[in-house]
Amino acid sequence: MDHETFSNIVKQACNMGLRQAWLTPMLGEIFADLQISEKWALLEKETRIDGYGFYSNFILAREEQIRSFPTLSKLTSLFVSLYGFDPDSFVETTKKPASQYSKLLKNLSCLLEVSDSWTPVDGLHFNMRTIKTNTPIMECDTELSALLRKFAAKGANVSEDNEYDSWVVTITQDEVDPLGIKLTDGNQLYMHGTCTKVFAEIQIKADGQVHACACRDIDGSLVVGNLNQTKLKDILSFENVPYRELIESQMQGQCNKNCRSCSSYRSNYDGRASAGYPSLAVMS
């Protein structure tokens, strides 16, 4: 996303009362954006933004970016997705060369050093998504596991993912069987009411498309407008027919294929969601 578009979106969102920004919804790697540091600077200067965060596999991050984290006062959360606990499991899970795993270790070592004097308000989070073994990742005798133990000793959250989605069956169980992963079939979930993501996790893509869900939209059925044609406040309005019809249809128990198969559905009748706060998801 170009800087002018990003700035315009942030202003429109702030005018609507949004205070949090999430920079990597659904798919995308934040460090693939060569201008991401400029976007951080803009968010830092915008007085109406309270905080922002992002996911990353942390492979493309550059050392100078990692060492700049302590200067980012509004970077409130950092989530690192890990796809292997050693070179072999990394290659098998990602189908990428082991050299990327080596780059990950180098960047994590740098982050560990930085964390001596800096921790985001909502913490550092590491989530492992890889081959299932009988040994917890934290107990493995690998360089990555050793780094994670050091992060955990500093208060970081380290977890192993146990819920995997099929992305409208674009991923099949047969494909992940070799990894020991079990896909969660969203079609088996009880769905009552509109998903909370439609109200609280809006996604804006680099091309200006606005999606009613920052979790995923495989087939475009959750597109509710485009900022190149309409203001954000008019898109996220009951006066906007696509947005209103999506909400009303889910309230009536009619979910499209995209939503019906999603294992991340959360009902608006589920009070546990009220503890959170609305955020703007911007894919840079």
Side-chain angles (χ1 to χ4, degrees), residues 171-188:
I171 301 170
T172 66
Q173 184 59 52
D174 289 343
E175 290 177 297
V176 296
D177 275 340
L179 303 177
I181 288 173
K182 176 66 175 177
L183 296 177
T184 301
D185 185 0
N187 288 289
Q188 303 303 317

Side-chain angles (χ1 to χ4, degrees), residues 53-72:
F54 57 84
Y55 274 95
S56 172
N57 61 30
F58 224 58
I59 295 171
L60 293 180
R62 299 188 294 276
E63 181 178 349
E64 61 267 25
Q65 292 174 316
I66 300 172
R67 294 193 182 282
S68 75
F69 288 166
T71 69
L72 304 176

Side-chain angles (χ1 to χ4, degrees), residues 154-196:
K154 292 184 176 184
N157 176 271
V158 181
S159 63
E160 294 185 46
D161 211 333
N162 293 311
E163 182 176 317
Y164 293 86
D165 193 84
S166 69
W167 286 72
V168 196
V169 201
T170 56
I171 301 170
T172 66
Q173 184 59 52
D174 289 343
E175 290 177 297
V176 296
D177 275 340
L179 303 177
I181 288 173
K182 176 66 175 177
L183 296 177
T184 301
D185 185 0
N187 288 289
Q188 303 303 317
L189 296 180
Y190 174 64
M191 296 185 178
H192 173 57
T194 304
C195 181
T196 56

Side-chain angles (χ1 to χ4, degrees), residues 90-161:
F90 177 87
V91 171
E92 186 169 353
T93 303
T94 65
K95 309 304 180 186
K96 301 296 183 181
S99 58
Q100 291 196 10
Y101 178 79
S102 298
K103 184 67 164 65
L104 169 66
L105 292 179
K106 179 181 178 181
N107 285 339
L108 288 178
S109 296
C110 181
L111 180 62
L112 182 65
E113 181 182 339
V114 169
S115 68
D116 285 337
S117 59
W118 169 83
T119 302
V121 175
D122 294 328
L124 288 172
H125 303 264
F126 300 89
N127 182 249
M128 180 65 71
R129 304 164 182 175
T130 187
I131 299 170
K132 297 303 178 184
T133 67
N134 294 324
T135 304
I137 300 301
M138 292 285 281
E139 297 178 12
C140 291
D141 185 20
T142 71
E143 190 173 350
L144 177 59
S145 296
L147 283 170
L148 292 177
R149 287 192 290 270
K150 292 178 180 178
F151 276 114
K154 292 184 176 184
N157 176 271
V158 181
S159 63
E160 294 185 46
D161 211 333

